[in-house]
Amino acid sequence: MPKVYILLLCVRIIFSRRMKEMLDQHYGYLLEDDLLKEILEKGKEFTFSKGDIIIDYDQKIEYMPLLLEGAIKVLRTNEKDQELVLYFLEQGDTCTMTMNCCMGELNSEICAISETDSHLILVPVIYMKKWLKKYDSWMSFVMMSYQNRFNELLWSIDGLAFGNLNDRLLTYLKDQVYARHKNDIDISHEQIAIDLNTSRVVISRLLKNLENNGVIKQTRGMIEFLNI
DNA sequence: ACATTAAGTGATT
DNA sequence: AATCACTTAATGT
């Protein structure tokens, strides 16, 4: 299990100009101006490093995240320390489970880990309900997120039910490439195996196949996705 | 140089 | 597809 560094390591920069730019860039076309302004007022900006735990199980949800940069892995584990990755959050996304939990005022049912260094705005959850009534664009945004997440969840379930590991691995890699904005993925076979809850040996074999078929190239701790 | 960690492989279930 | 046992290769101290 990854170590818990949590919020202590976060750098908090309020009223940064860059924050506004990035907010406009990734959410500007979705949300109305008044809302964007309110997000800047009420939200706090944070950065997380790779591997930081953003939200852990049973933690009280106080903020909802709006991702500006980077990628976040959202997962559940069972009684053992087996992980199941539910979905990845990329820029322009927000965490649907957060909304789920705070609507019902529940504690976190999931664990969110920063997959790369990432950069996000945290908005206190009380505003998310208020904004649902106040802003149409917020409502659409939330609905859209639900739809997207739901589809990704279906994907995960398909993977489990039909056991098509190769396909799951491929979409996993594509997700990584998309989230990192580059074709080099610095991740070990072991970590992939944990994410897809299978064993390292199996992943190694599948990756070897992909390498032989010219889909990827790999060196220690690195996978390069070719011909996109 | 030695220990540690990542990756490759054959055999078995 | 999973597990075991073992090898080889890359990296850190």
Side-chain angles (χ1 to χ4, degrees), chain A residues 139-172:
Chain A
M139 167 79 113
S140 318
F141 176 63
V142 171
M143 297 297 267
M144 206 187 69
S145 291
Y146 260 103
Q147 204 182 338
N148 287 340
R149 276 332 117 213
F150 203 84
N151 284 336
E152 285 198 44
L153 279 179
L154 287 181
W155 244 105
S156 299
I157 292 172
D158 280 353
L160 288 179
F162 307 123
N164 195 336
L165 199 48
N166 205 357
D167 283 356
R168 284 170 71 209
L169 178 58
L170 272 172
T171 45
Y172 178 90

Side-chain angles (χ1 to χ4, degrees), chain A residues 15 18 21 24 75 78 81 83-84 89 91 102 107 124 146 148 153 160 163 166 177 188-189 193 199-200 209 216:
Chain A
F15 299 128
R18 191 164 153 69
E21 281 170 15
D24 279 347
L75 51 86
N78 64 4
D81 43 1
E83 297 183 353
L84 171 61
L89 294 177
Q91 56 187 221
C102 72
N107 288 348
Y146 260 103
N148 287 340
L153 279 179
L160 288 179
N166 205 357
V177 167
S188 68
H189 294 186
S199 64
R200 193 226 91 217
N209 262 354
I216 58 169

Side-chain angles (χ1 to χ4, degrees), chain A residues 121-153:
Chain A
I121 296 180
L122 295 180
V123 181
V125 290
I126 47 167
Y127 295 111
M128 87 150 266
K129 277 192 190 177
K130 288 186 184 169
W131 291 347
L132 277 179
K133 290 185 183 165
K134 200 164 164 189
Y135 300 105
D136 282 349
S137 63
W138 181 251
M139 167 79 113
S140 318
F141 176 63
V142 171
M143 297 297 267
M144 206 187 69
S145 291
Y146 260 103
Q147 204 182 338
N148 287 340
R149 276 332 117 213
F150 203 84
N151 284 336
E152 285 198 44
L153 279 179

